[in-house]
Amino acid sequence: MSRALIGIDRSGSFRVYLTATTDIVNEAMKIHRTSPTASAALGRVLTGAGLMSIQLKEPDDRLTVIFKGDGPAGSITACGYGDGRIKGYIANPSADLPQRGDGKLDVGGLVGRGELSVVRDAGLKEPYSGTVSLVSGEIAEDLTAYYYISEQRSTSIALGVKVARDMTARAAGGMFIQMMPGAEERCIDELEALLKNADPITTTVEKAVLRAGVRGDDAVLEEMKEDIFGGLPEEYSVTTAEMRDIKLECDCSRERTERALIALGEKTLTQLIEEDGGAELSCRFCNAVYRFDRDELCSLRAEAGKKGRK
């Protein structure tokens, strides 16, 4: 589990969301056995989805972020809920590329060109959906473009994952800065100047962890906030409004898998029974495997028949 800080500046010109997701990214790397570049790509998407999910209004509100490029990664999908639960997967977790000329992982090359789609489901008849072309495949730039084009919101986003030689995430984190209606022009100028010379978000996470010591995750976030925004004039200083949890948690279950099989209908279930004598379904988000023998499939087929006759 990770923590996220939500803050607002004293003038009410901008809101900030900060998180350090090193633990979450390491957990996802273990589940999906990702290569270094795939780890960075999936970690950035999960971190971005986590910060987006805590902006939802209700705990059960859901968003889905899908990066669909023509690079070797294939698609990258992450889902988040209003209570901070997130899950995600990359289609080709073993895909990898050589480092770029500047020594950084080539996430943009791994993702390639394509589209970013964001679907928000607040339990209404139709979920809200927006799609934009990928700007770079580097994730943060693409999400920034999505907010500007699809939602007309001025947002600055930083996402990063530093992968160590031992194939673990040494540091991971993210930041969203969203300008508020009526933001002061001077504040915008001050922010732009500040961010122009800011450290990479992973460097900020590493420094904050060292300074926070044993004081815990909330202290790390406060150190990150000070490191990034401490140079602003007093009237634009950031005050912490709330701390939230972000956790990697899949909501798959055997019961949900049974419902999915029943939804296939009698004909398909009969085919599975006669040809395979059973079924094995795995969750792409957490790799959990659910197995059903012949008798169980026959029972589900009977249930499907009842539903079909209603």
Side-chain angles (χ1 to χ4, degrees), residues 249-266:
E249 182 179 302
C250 188
D251 53 357
C252 73
S253 66
R254 188 171 184 83
E255 182 181 359
R256 292 186 66 174
T257 307
E258 288 176 352
R259 292 200 298 267
L261 285 168
I262 290 170
L264 294 176
E266 285 184 278

Side-chain angles (χ1 to χ4, degrees), residues 68-138:
K68 192 172 183 179
D70 61 3
S75 62
I76 307 173
T77 301
C79 300
Y81 292 88
D83 61 3
R85 289 175 293 144
I86 57 172
K87 61 181 182 179
Y89 70 88
I90 181 170
N92 298 313
S94 61
D96 204 10
L97 288 176
Q99 291 184 345
R100 302 184 327 200
D102 58 5
K104 295 183 178 181
L105 295 170
D106 190 5
V107 172
L110 197 78
V111 174
R113 298 181 179 181
E115 293 182 335
L116 160 62
S117 297
V118 177
V119 181
R120 284 186 171 86
D121 188 350
L124 304 176
K125 283 187 176 181
E126 292 293 334
Y128 170 81
S129 178
T131 299
V132 298
S133 296
L134 294 176
V135 174
S136 66
E138 292 287 336

Side-chain angles (χ1 to χ4, degrees), residues 165-193:
R165 291 181 182 274
D166 64 358
M167 298 296 289
T168 62
R170 182 174 176 180
M175 174 182 68
F176 279 37
I177 300 174
Q178 293 183 338
M179 304 310 299
M180 305 291 282
E184 296 181 12
E185 286 296 328
R186 182 178 169 227
C187 180
I188 297 173
D189 293 339
E190 292 282 356
L191 270 176
E192 288 180 348

Side-chain angles (χ1 to χ4, degrees), residues 140-180:
E141 293 92 334
D142 303 302
L143 287 173
T144 299
Y146 164 78
Y147 274 104
Y148 182 76
I149 296 170
S150 188
E151 298 194 8
Q152 292 78 55
R153 298 169 68 182
S154 181
T155 305
S156 177
I157 300 174
L159 301 167
V161 175
K162 182 179 286 188
V163 180
R165 291 181 182 274
D166 64 358
M167 298 296 289
T168 62
R170 182 174 176 180
M175 174 182 68
F176 279 37
I177 300 174
Q178 293 183 338
M179 304 310 299
M180 305 291 282

